[in-house]
Amino acid sequence: MSEPTNEAAKLYDAILKGDAAETIAITEAAIAEKVDPQDLLTKHMIPAMDEVGRRFEANEYLASNGLAPINASAAYSRGLTGAGVIVAVFDTGLDAAHPELLGRTVSGGFNFVENNADISDPNGHGTHVAGIIAANKNDAGMQGVAYGASILPVRIAEANGSIALSSATLAAAVDYAVASGAFVLNNS
């Protein structure tokens, strides 16, 4: 078997590509060469992924304050960016024209306070929360923890931030979000 770090890199690539056959072949080759696949993972692959993760720690990563303490770069190095995930943000609405959120919102969204499609944010809190979750990774400002995720704005809060909706309306908001494809629901 070749250099373990080379095999670790190949294994890492196979896992990220979702190539089960290649992942199995590399693992079987490691076993045949009497290399413990667990050692391949823990001694070579994980440190290599952590090194790759540090490449994500650019200025906007560091400006986001909350990303380094949760070691988000390690998740990014494993391909976990939120891509393909819709997060419903139940809050005061959303400023869809905010530069950090351009391209991050799904079409739709609903205002359960005024019972219409106007999801604009009269308070700014919903926009702030959406930014923490999914602000663009674009070498400007800051980035969201799941910068590849999409936001579905669901306005349930008044302009002053209070929530005075009935339980039935709040349940309808949850049903709306799930029916719209949201996998994660956030209400801060």
Side-chain angles (χ1 to χ4, degrees):
M1 185 178 210
S2 60
E3 176 70 26
T5 53
N6 185 35
E7 291 304 307
K10 288 179 187 175
L11 180 58
Y12 175 58
D13 288 342
I15 291 169
L16 283 183
K17 288 189 296 189
D19 188 335
E22 186 175 353
T23 301
I24 291 168
I26 292 168
T27 304
E28 288 175 346
I31 293 168
E33 293 292 322
K34 304 210 181 329
V35 174
D36 183 351
Q38 189 63 36
D39 282 349
L40 187 63
L41 178 69
T42 59
K43 292 181 183 173
H44 302 286
M45 190 168 133
I46 290 175
M49 288 188 292
D50 289 341
E51 180 61 34
V52 169
R54 284 189 271 291
R55 295 181 198 155
F56 288 93
E57 297 174 8
N59 289 337
E60 75 181 324
Y61 175 93
L62 299 172
S64 299
N65 294 330
L67 299 178
I70 63 169
N71 198 20
S73 62
Y76 302 152
S77 74
R78 291 158 174 84
L80 304 172
T81 64
V85 176
I86 297 173
V87 179
V89 176
F90 293 80
D91 214 297
T92 57
L94 180 81
D95 176 0
H98 192 289
E100 288 289 0
L101 296 172
L102 292 177
R104 297 271 51 93
T105 58
V106 297
S107 61
F110 197 78
N111 180 336
F112 283 86
V113 174
E114 299 171 358
N115 199 31
N116 62 37
D118 178 11
I119 51 92
S120 61
D121 187 352
N123 178 291
H125 189 266
T127 301
H128 182 83
V129 169
I132 290 169
I133 296 168
N136 284 313
K137 183 179 182 320
N138 58 2
D139 298 321
M142 48 88 66
Q143 73 186 55
V145 68
Y147 62 83
S150 298
I151 299 294
L152 174 70
V154 181
R155 184 168 172 210
I156 60 165
E158 302 283 344
N160 67 5
S162 67
I163 299 173
L165 299 176
S166 70
S167 295
T169 302
L170 291 172
V174 169
D175 289 344
Y176 166 80
V178 171
S180 297
F183 183 72
V184 176
L185 309 179
N186 174 273
N187 175 227
S188 60

